[in-house]
Amino acid sequence: MNKTKLFTVLLLCTLLSGLFSGCQSVDLSPAENNISSSETAAPSAQGADSDGLLKVEYIDVGQADSILISTPTDEHMLIDAGAAESNDANPIEKALEAQNIDRLDVVVATHPHYDHIGRMDYVIENYDIDNFYLPDVEGNYTSATYENMLEELEEYNVNTIYPSAPEEFTLGEAKCEILSPLENQERDCNEYSIVLRMTYGDNTFLFTGDAGRQSEYNMIDRGFDLSADVLKVGHHGSAYSSTREFLDEVRPEYAVISCGEGNSYGHPHDETMDRLRGIKTYITKDVGDIYITSDGENLSVYTENEGAPQSGEYESAANPTDEAEEENAVTPENSFVGNKNSKVVHSADCGSLPKEENRVYFSSLDEAEAAGYRGHSCVG
Ligand SMILES: [Zn+2]
Ligand SMILES: [Zn+2]
């Protein structure tokens, strides 16, 4: 069925449900899930079909990412599927079940790191998926989880799409632009992250996976419109994402960081929180699941646990001290420097660091190893 027909059928279904209550309405009300509001009053307990809200749920999956988007016309998109720490009561499964979802129009695996595709097996096995977007990592990355995912996509005959920016698709009445990855770029696995900008009426959401500064600068260089009301902060709040230049383009009202309590990377990094000053920032490890709804004009934010956003005073990039801060962000205590070519990682105070243009920065050895780097003798 093509998208136009699908939309017509869904529209018809929505209209008929008003007359006969024949179609099952999906209850998206955070109030039903015992969610307390930290921004505005909770929406009515009626289903999304009748209240016309687009709902974005940033699922608390610990040190991982998973975001579920549902349109008022009952289309669903899942961006990433967390890690597979526990098969019991997995939060992604719970989120899908809570909305009675039986099919997913779009699934996006932003990039093949474990903390983004850990439960894709469950998603592929249990849901009809129309289109599955994933980056073409061109043989630069592999893992057992990733290979299994590729095998399952084939086994279940899922339509896979390897996008190359700029591209776009629609999810109901929401427009989704793919802004990254660009073609032919040598990069670290995180920099393959699919970056999506979703527009619904006057509201815009930016989803960045683990994109880092290289992707951010590429998108700026290409002149893409990056402005968004809500930013899913790149790479769990790592200091090597969310550059000031990027934030100045996005200018979000709200920021969401997905990371786990006591994670070994120290996410979110202080440098990132500094740069996010003045932006209402919600962190899953502090507030649990985060729900943002849009009626096409206004946004409402709800969190699982009562939790106010962190915020402060955001200084624009015009501040001359910012440049110096940026340079000082890498310190011997908290960073590791990889060589993009040799895939060897050094401690930042090592005597034989790679040339500036070949460097890639990590906040921990774990992070470097997860990206396929092996340690130089300087890191023991
Ligand atoms: Zn990640
Ligand atoms: Zn990653």
Side-chain angles (χ1 to χ4, degrees), residues 111 113 115-116 190 210:
H111 67 297
H113 276 154
D115 56 322
H116 297 253
N190 286 331
D210 280 355

Side-chain angles (χ1 to χ4, degrees), residues 62-286:
Q63 183 63 21
D65 264 20
S66 188
I67 303 160
L68 179 59
I69 296 150
S70 299
T71 69
T73 42
D74 210 18
E75 284 91 3
H76 305 278
M77 170 160 71
L78 182 72
I79 302 176
D80 288 335
E85 306 308 349
S86 158
N87 288 355
D88 301 327
N90 184 284
I92 299 166
E93 300 174 18
K94 278 203 276 188
L96 288 162
E97 278 165 21
Q99 292 193 29
N100 289 320
I101 291 172
D102 56 9
R103 53 184 294 283
L104 290 160
D105 298 79
V106 179
V107 174
V108 179
T110 59
H111 67 297
H113 276 154
Y114 180 75
D115 56 322
H116 297 253
I117 63 166
R119 283 305 273 150
M120 277 304 179
D121 55 349
Y122 170 82
V123 175
I124 295 166
E125 286 161 19
N126 289 281
Y127 290 88
D128 287 332
I129 299 168
D130 280 2
N131 288 313
F132 193 106
Y133 288 83
L134 70 171
D136 182 359
V137 294
E138 303 155 22
N140 282 340
Y141 178 85
T142 193
S143 71
T145 311
Y146 177 51
E147 293 300 328
N148 285 343
M149 183 181 87
L150 294 180
E151 273 169 32
E152 285 212 314
L153 286 169
E154 209 169 304
E155 188 185 329
Y156 285 81
N157 260 322
V158 181
N159 185 41
T160 51
I161 298 170
Y162 294 89
S164 149
E167 269 184 38
E168 65 179 65
F169 62 88
T170 55
L171 184 77
E173 291 184 55
K175 181 175 87 167
C176 301
E177 300 161 85
I178 295 171
L179 305 178
S180 199
L182 298 159
E183 251 179 318
N184 302 325
Q185 293 269 346
E186 194 192 321
R187 47 174 93 82
D188 165 68
C189 183
N190 286 331
E191 302 285 14
Y192 281 102
S193 290
I194 293 176
V195 175
L196 269 183
R197 181 172 181 266
M198 180 176 75
T199 305
Y200 179 69
D202 294 339
N203 295 137
T204 305
F205 297 78
L206 195 61
F207 305 102
T208 56
D210 280 355
R213 56 172 75 171
Q214 185 188 351
S215 295
E216 293 178 357
Y217 291 149
N218 284 342
M219 290 185 282
I220 294 169
D221 287 348
R222 286 291 293 265
F224 292 150
D225 183 358
L226 302 173
S227 63
D229 300 308
V230 185
L231 170 67
K232 199 295 292 185
V233 174
H235 198 189
H236 319 285
S238 161
Y240 308 108
S241 298
S242 310
T243 57
R244 243 177 232 285
E245 294 85 341
F246 181 70
L247 292 175
D248 280 340
E249 295 286 329
V250 182
R251 291 260 148 204
E253 183 179 356
Y254 299 105
V256 172
I257 297 176
S258 186
C259 67
E261 188 66 54
N263 67 80
S264 61
Y265 308 106
H267 292 157
H269 290 151
D270 291 344
E271 297 92 324
T272 309
M273 294 310 294
D274 260 6
R275 285 177 231 141
L276 291 171
R277 261 184 287 156
I279 299 163
K280 293 177 199 119
T281 302
Y282 294 86
I283 307 175
T284 54
K285 77 176 173 64
D286 298 332

